[in-house]
């Protein structure tokens, strides 16, 4: 091997430098360094700020050539490379060189990306690694037996004593990124199935901020097949104003999901909602009022004066044939609005 290296190094300075870079990272991996150490070593080698980011955590490690955390604001990367594990992009590495890239920058980032993937794999599976859809389907299927389900969970990396929440998700962003935000510190797996996006998570952070445009229904953790049914039901109750719904927060409202569509369409209140739905302003006003139960809070949500909202609500109430300013009328309108929305799912 040394003889080969000597022969290659004689070809040109780039080949010699590339071999030295490979040897440099091989040494780091033998020492079993962590991600911050990889960033420090890379910054020192490249002579500029080096960065590492894992999509699951969203946190970036940026280190200056002096080995300290970069204090300067991030600048556009001069060179970047994806970090892949099991054919999934789990992050990125980059260099922030103020001048144009130098010839060996691509080699440095290639070896850094490989080293980062090795570190992630060594210290545990990527928390947001996309899972085998067949295994996920086996976990949530009501047709499978418990032994097969337990084996599938084990293969996915879930311990036998850990609860598992199932999330039904509609997302314009990759599911693994959503999973990392929902459950940042414990195992989480995601897969795209015919019925939509599925995330399995041991915990669900109720304070988690889902990316814009994501809709999610979250089931309880008592039983995966039941949790999946609950999650899909909860997803039907999501709205632009309420994009994430926990099934256990629906209470008796979940019963509306069991109403046959024809029965809902024949209801006079639901029919009245369908009539006003052609006016987006009326629909948005009614939604805000039903969500808050207060004229002034609805006005705040709509960024309108409360007198304008009052006039709209008066017209809406007449169109519905319901006095929505009364508690009973407000309940009727809210139930009818929810039932009408469920017809679209």
């Amino acid at each position: 091997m040394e003889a080969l290296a000597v022969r290659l190094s004689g070809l040109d300075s780039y080949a010699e430098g590339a071999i030295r870079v490979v040897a440099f990272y091989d040494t780091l991996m033998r020492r079993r360094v962590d991600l911050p150490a990889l960033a420090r070593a890379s910054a020192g080698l490249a002579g500029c700020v080096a960065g590492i980011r894992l999509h699951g955590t969203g946190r970036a490690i940026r280190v200056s050539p002096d080995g300290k955390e970069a204090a300067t604001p991030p600048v556009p990367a001069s060179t970047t490379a994806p970090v892949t594990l099991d054919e999934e992009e789990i992050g990125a590495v980059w260099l922030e060189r103020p001048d144009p890239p130098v010839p060996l920058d691509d080699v440095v980032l290639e070896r850094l990306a490989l080293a980062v993937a090795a570190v992630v794999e060594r210290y545990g599976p990527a928390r947001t690694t996309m899972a085998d859809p067949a295994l996920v389907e086996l976990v949530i299927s009501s047709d499978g037996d418990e032994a097969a389900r337990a084996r599938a969970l084990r293969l996915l990396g879930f311990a036998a004593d850990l609860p598992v929440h199932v999330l039904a998700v509609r997302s314009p962003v990759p599911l693994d990124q959503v999973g990392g935000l929902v459950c940042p510190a414990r195992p989480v797996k995601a897969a795209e199935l015919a019925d939509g996006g599925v995330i399995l998570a041991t915990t669900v952070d109720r304070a988690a901020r889902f990316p814009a445009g994501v809709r999610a229904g979250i089931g309880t953790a008592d039983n995966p097949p039941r949790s999946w049914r609950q999650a899909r039901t909860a997803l039907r109750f999501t709205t632009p104003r309420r994009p994430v719904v926990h099934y256990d927060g629906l209470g008796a409202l979940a019963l509306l999901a069991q109403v046959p569509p024809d029965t809902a369409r024949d209801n006079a209140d639901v029919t009245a909602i369908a009539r006003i739905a052609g006016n987006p302003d009326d629909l948005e006003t009614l939604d805000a009022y039903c969500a808050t139960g207060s004229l002034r809070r609805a006005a705040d949500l709509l960024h309108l004066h409360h007198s304008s909202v009052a006039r709209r609500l008066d017209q809406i109430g007449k169109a519905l044939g319901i006095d929505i300013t009364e508690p009973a009328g407000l309940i009727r309108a809210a139930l009818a609005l929810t039932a009408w929305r469920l017809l679209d799912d």
Side-chain angles (χ1 to χ4, degrees):
M1 183 69 182
E2 287 185 20
L4 175 61
V6 170
R7 289 199 301 272
L8 288 174
S9 66
L11 294 177
D12 55 46
S13 58
Y14 179 87
E16 181 180 2
I19 292 171
R20 291 180 183 275
V21 170
V22 172
F24 176 82
Y25 281 101
D26 285 348
T27 299
L28 289 177
M29 297 315 300
R30 284 196 297 271
R31 294 176 179 174
R32 305 176 73 84
V33 298
D34 57 12
L35 295 183
L38 274 176
R40 287 194 298 271
S42 300
L45 177 66
C48 66
V49 171
I52 299 172
R53 177 185 288 109
L54 295 180
H55 296 326
T57 65
R59 174 176 171 266
I61 302 172
R62 295 178 60 247
V63 181
S64 298
D66 60 6
K68 298 179 181 179
E69 183 176 348
T72 57
V75 300
S78 57
T79 317
T80 185
V83 178
T84 59
L85 181 61
D86 296 333
E87 300 182 357
E88 175 198 352
E89 184 176 325
I90 64 169
V93 294
W94 67 92
L95 298 177
E96 297 176 19
R97 195 178 294 284
D99 301 316
V102 302
L104 285 172
D105 281 357
D106 56 345
V107 181
V108 170
L109 285 186
E110 178 187 1
R111 303 309 298 185
L112 175 57
L114 290 172
V116 169
V119 170
V120 171
E121 188 173 35
R122 177 186 303 144
Y123 292 109
R127 294 190 182 102
T128 58
T129 298
M130 294 296 286
D132 181 346
L135 288 176
V136 172
E137 193 159 18
L138 186 56
V139 168
I140 64 176
S141 174
S142 58
D143 298 330
D145 60 73
E146 290 304 317
R149 182 173 295 110
R151 181 176 181 274
L153 284 168
R154 188 166 60 252
L155 290 173
L156 288 169
F158 293 98
D161 58 342
L162 287 179
V164 176
H165 292 266
V166 183
L167 286 71
V169 182
R170 296 178 191 150
S171 175
V173 301
L175 284 179
D176 60 321
Q177 295 183 29
V178 179
L181 294 171
V182 171
C183 186
R186 302 188 71 181
V188 57
K189 298 293 180 182
E192 289 282 358
L193 302 184
D195 292 337
V198 184
I199 294 177
L200 306 178
T202 50
T203 60
V204 178
D205 184 356
R206 286 184 177 265
R209 295 182 63 86
F210 284 71
V214 173
R215 299 281 190 95
I218 303 173
T220 58
D222 56 345
N223 174 273
R226 185 182 299 117
S227 186
W228 173 233
R229 291 194 298 271
Q230 294 171 347
R232 284 187 295 172
T233 297
L235 181 63
R236 296 179 63 194
F237 283 85
T238 60
T239 67
R241 200 183 303 281
R242 191 187 181 193
V244 179
V245 173
H246 290 256
Y247 180 84
D248 59 7
L250 287 173
L253 280 176
L255 296 173
L256 285 177
Q258 300 178 29
V259 176
D262 289 342
T263 301
R265 289 190 184 92
D266 289 340
N267 182 269
D269 288 352
V270 176
T271 301
I273 292 290
R275 284 199 302 268
I276 72 164
N279 187 325
D281 289 341
D282 285 350
L283 198 62
E284 186 179 17
T285 300
L286 180 60
D287 177 57
Y289 184 61
C290 289
T292 62
S294 163
L295 189 152
R296 291 188 178 274
R297 280 186 288 169
D300 289 340
L301 278 180
L302 297 168
H303 305 292
L304 295 172
H305 193 275
H306 64 86
S307 61
S308 299
V309 176
R311 285 194 296 272
R312 284 191 187 181
L313 289 175
D314 182 61
Q315 295 171 356
I316 292 170
K318 290 177 181 177
L320 296 178
I322 303 173
D323 184 358
I324 57 179
T325 62
E326 292 294 323
L330 176 60
I331 292 173
R332 277 181 60 184
L335 288 174
L337 179 60
T338 302
W340 173 78
R341 281 189 172 131
L342 291 175
L343 291 174
D344 293 333
D345 293 303

